[in-house]
Amino acid sequence: MIRTLAWKEFRTLFAQPLAWVILAVVQFVMAMVFFWYLSQYFEILPRIQQLANPPGVTEVVVGGSFYFAAILLQVAVVLLSMRLFSDEYRNRTIALLLSAPISSTEIALGKFCGLMLFLLIPVALLTIMSASLALGGVVDWGLIGANLLALVLLLTAYSALGLLISSLTAHPLLAGFGTFMALVFLMLLNILATDPNATSNYLSPLNHFETIAKGLIDTANLSFLVIVTTTLLVLTSKILDRRRMQG
Amino acid sequence: MPQPTDITLSAHRLTRRYGTGLAVAELDLALQRGEVLGLLGPNGAGKSTTMQMLTGNLAPSSGSIAVCGIDLLEQPLLAKAKIGYLPETPPLYREMTVDEFLTFCGRLHRLPSIELGSAVQEVKARCGLADMGRRLIAHLSKGYQQRVGIAQAILHKPDVVILDEPTVGLDPNQIREIRTLIRELSANHSVILSTHILPEVEAVCDRVHIMHQGKIVFSDSIEGLRRSQQTETLLVGFSRPPTLAEFQNLTGASDAQILEKGLFKVHCTADSTRAETITQAATAHAWGLTQLSPERTSLEDVFAGLTRTEEKNSQASV
């Protein structure tokens, strides 16, 4: 059932020009960024070779690109998640889902998976770009894997947040704006943190993304993102139930 | 007497509050298999709210609903599988084709993949959508969109089909087609239909509930509804009319009124001999009878009467 809903959502995204534009722009920007990091790497290469433990090409280029993608894809999450429920409310199509023999949890999970499926496309393309470094040198596959895992987990948390905010209003723009502000706030918690161990920094998903992307794949960081995502999805299904109560 | 198992949908003391207002108050309802029940009422009478509750879109403030004996509030998924619902606004994904949409709806209702294709074909044929499969829903006319809405409601062969104002916004031909379709549906499904158009109820329903301010103010079969308005009015026209007093005296119709020059309005019950008396008086006094036509109380009058009395009662009780 979740698969049916996710597949429908995935196809609906492709029915909008917005999704194609997002894919094209993200891919274009990411290619530019990737190339920029690569040229930067060659520029600093003579200097860093003096170091005792110089950063490798994977760390500089892949790490940099994935971090940039984490910031850039926030915009994609905002634009793609804002319609997920708002449009259903506005067009009254939500009645179709609510009258069908499916639970609110299935509805929320279905939509979430559909959005994630779409977001995996730019992530996959970025991973392929990163893997292409192997054509000309030695890459740290483990680090690429860590970056990939970190980005996917970060996007699940962001998507779940976008989904929740979309389930609160029938106005897609309001939902989009709300998600955007929430994501900017969470990002600033990390970027503006003077003390890396501050609580505010700990609350930012971006902080956990960075730690995992560095290769520090520990339970604390993984479970933070997983718990945030799960909580937001549970809340979304509760909101759907509540709408049934309030009408 | 119908067996208890023939009841496909029943609601007991169904109530829905919005803040302090009552949208639906202690509504009881029972639907038998193969029956078309019309839910009639002015806008805002609580018809849509009732239907939303019956389909699990809205939780009732109190009361219970059972679909084929399954409690909708306790086992929503099992109960919902037996319901097909067309809301006031057809819930259509405009960016999908008719085939894609109906296939999606079939999956939502957990139709097995093997049956899905044939079920979609069958429902399309039934709703006159056979050639529309590849069209985008956004490009369909209002009438065809409504058919797609009905198609999704009956696709999974539910025991109960609930249609909220299915003919609103359609042209007369489309209305006739949809009504025929609804009559056909009653062969295998129970149907509840809401409307504020009285002829629609007369045309398709077996039984009617008239709702007003969240309550059922009238509940009977269509024949019963017709019987309840047996009081008829006669329109009598003369070329050489008597005065009102003369007319009243000679025909014994003390409640007669003059509508315009030479045209009288007389109340008479179906079994009275008033028409005969009037004809005899007209011939005897050479009034020159030009018209004697029954003006049957329309359903509109009954409806207006019922809802107005209710208002008076409720005002009186306040």
Side-chain angles (χ1 to χ4, degrees):
Chain A
M1 186 50 60
I2 293 170
R3 204 173 52 189
T4 305
L5 286 163
W7 185 239
K8 183 250 149 195
E9 219 49 62
F10 184 69
R11 301 221 12 206
T12 305
L13 284 173
F14 275 111
Q16 313 167 2
L18 182 71
W20 294 96
V21 172
I22 288 175
L23 274 187
V25 170
V26 167
Q27 185 52 25
F28 178 74
V29 172
M30 285 320 299
M32 301 277 287
V33 168
F34 190 79
F35 186 73
W36 184 83
Y37 273 113
L38 198 59
S39 55
Q40 283 290 304
Y41 179 72
F42 284 123
E43 223 166 80
I44 58 167
L45 192 58
R47 271 174 289 150
I48 57 171
Q49 270 173 340
Q50 319 286 325
L51 298 172
N53 191 7
V57 66
T58 317
E59 198 176 336
V60 175
V61 179
V62 176
S65 301
F66 269 82
Y67 184 81
F68 194 89
I71 306 290
L72 184 66
L73 285 174
Q74 287 184 19
V75 182
V77 169
V78 167
L79 292 174
L80 296 171
S81 70
M82 65 184 189
R83 295 179 179 279
L84 287 177
F85 278 114
S86 305
D87 263 8
E88 300 253 11
Y89 296 156
R90 212 173 37 154
N91 302 331
R92 312 269 174 108
T93 46
I94 192 74
L96 188 74
L97 302 179
L98 293 183
S99 343
I102 46 176
S103 66
S104 298
T105 316
E106 282 174 315
I107 298 174
L109 272 176
K111 289 197 172 278
F112 169 76
C113 292
L115 176 58
M116 276 316 294
L117 208 58
F118 182 89
L119 288 171
L120 285 179
I121 298 172
V123 174
L125 290 171
L126 180 60
T127 313
I128 293 171
M129 270 200 290
S130 307
S132 72
L133 287 176
L135 295 174
V138 181
V139 293
D140 182 346
W141 292 107
L143 197 60
I144 292 185
N147 270 289
L148 180 62
L149 176 69
L151 187 58
V152 170
L153 284 178
L154 182 75
L155 289 176
T156 58
Y158 284 173
S159 300
L161 182 66
L163 190 67
L164 173 68
I165 294 178
S166 179
S167 76
L168 293 171
T169 170
H171 303 280
L173 279 179
L174 189 61
F177 184 72
T179 310
F180 180 72
M181 292 317 285
L183 291 182
V184 166
F185 175 74
L186 289 174
M187 185 174 74
L188 288 181
L189 281 184
N190 172 251
I191 291 178
L192 299 183
T194 40
D195 173 12
N197 294 323
T199 318
S200 61
N201 189 22
Y202 189 82
L203 289 176
S204 175
L206 202 57
N207 168 42
H208 300 274
F209 161 81
E210 279 184 306
T211 320
I212 299 173
K214 268 184 225 153
L216 279 169
I217 305 173
D218 64 346
T219 320
N221 286 302
L222 290 180
S223 48
F224 176 86
L225 292 172
V226 171
I227 288 170
V228 165
T229 307
T230 315
T231 312
L232 292 170
L233 287 176
V234 169
L235 278 177
T236 308
S237 85
K238 293 287 169 221
I239 298 272
L240 284 180
D241 282 336
R242 234 171 85 97
R243 278 188 77 88
R244 229 177 283 207
M245 303 302 290
Q246 294 181 333
Chain B
M1 272 305 282
Q3 297 301 306
T5 46
D6 282 351
I7 304 283
T8 48
L9 178 75
S10 66
H12 183 59
R13 297 175 72 86
L14 206 56
T15 302
R16 175 70 204 190
R17 278 180 211 92
Y18 284 111
T20 51
L22 267 175
V24 174
E26 308 221 327
L27 183 131
D28 286 306
L29 195 142
L31 187 65
Q32 284 159 24
R33 193 171 293 281
E35 186 182 40
V36 182
L37 173 69
L39 211 52
L40 196 62
N43 292 322
K47 304 188 298 282
S48 288
T49 308
T50 306
M51 294 191 142
Q52 282 177 352
M53 288 194 283
L54 294 178
T55 53
N57 274 256
L58 191 67
S61 306
S62 64
S64 65
I65 302 163
V67 187
C68 300
I70 303 166
D71 193 301
L72 178 70
L73 303 169
E74 277 166 23
Q75 293 179 292
L77 301 193
L78 277 178
K80 279 179 191 175
K82 298 186 177 296
I83 299 179
Y85 176 41
L86 171 69
E88 224 172 333
T89 323
L92 307 175
Y93 295 112
R94 299 170 55 82
E95 68 282 350
M96 286 177 146
T97 65
V98 173
D99 280 341
E100 283 170 351
F101 177 73
L102 291 176
T103 307
F104 173 66
C105 293
R107 294 227 168 89
L108 280 186
H109 281 97
R110 303 175 201 271
L111 285 186
S113 301
I114 319 157
E115 294 171 26
L116 195 55
S118 59
V120 169
Q121 289 307 323
E122 196 189 318
V123 84
K124 277 199 303 183
R126 251 184 129 172
C127 300
L129 290 164
D131 306 326
M132 297 290 161
R134 291 164 164 273
R135 297 274 294 273
L136 274 184
I137 291 176
H139 295 168
L140 294 179
S141 68
K142 176 99 174 82
Y144 274 107
Q145 290 187 352
Q146 195 74 24
R147 290 182 200 201
V148 180
I150 295 180
Q152 65 79 23
I154 60 176
L155 175 69
H156 51 288
K157 302 194 174 63
D159 292 290
V160 185
V161 181
I162 298 184
L163 307 170
D164 198 347
E165 309 212 345
T167 57
V168 82
L170 302 184
D171 69 36
N173 278 333
Q174 294 168 331
I175 290 180
R176 195 147 15 112
E177 285 168 20
I178 299 277
R179 281 180 189 166
T180 315
L181 180 61
I182 293 170
R183 283 270 30 139
E184 284 171 20
L185 284 180
S186 68
N188 333 76
H189 316 263
S190 308
V191 183
I192 299 188
L193 162 97
S194 87
T195 179
H196 55 263
I197 309 158
L198 290 144
E200 189 150 293
V201 169
E202 275 194 304
V204 301
C205 298
D206 303 313
R207 214 148 55 85
V208 60
H209 282 344
I210 297 181
M211 280 188 83
H212 184 60
Q213 293 179 341
K215 291 188 194 109
I216 292 179
V217 292
F218 177 89
S219 167
D220 207 341
S221 64
I222 286 294
E223 287 72 37
L225 181 65
R226 292 212 184 99
R227 257 199 313 279
S228 75
Q229 18 143 355
Q230 285 295 337
T231 319
E232 287 176 280
T233 315
L234 283 178
L235 288 181
V236 199
F238 304 105
S239 53
R240 293 177 294 280
T243 64
L244 183 60
E246 257 182 306
F247 182 79
Q248 285 174 342
N249 285 335
L250 289 166
T251 60
S254 53
D255 56 351
Q257 292 168 300
I258 294 190
L259 290 182
E260 55 190 85
K261 194 170 157 42
L263 192 63
F264 293 81
K265 185 178 171 185
V266 188
H267 284 287
C268 90
T269 46
D271 50 348
S272 84
T273 55
R274 184 150 289 166
E276 207 183 324
T277 326
I278 293 172
T279 349
Q280 282 166 357
T283 332
H285 299 88
W287 290 337
L289 187 64
T290 55
Q291 181 189 354
L292 181 67
S293 55
E295 190 195 49
R296 190 168 156 269
T297 332
S298 66
L299 276 168
E300 271 86 355
D301 292 335
V302 179
F303 187 31
L306 278 168
T307 47
R308 231 179 283 127
T309 358
E310 267 302 298
E311 261 160 41
K312 269 184 222 148
N313 290 347
S314 62
Q315 275 163 6
S317 63
V318 172

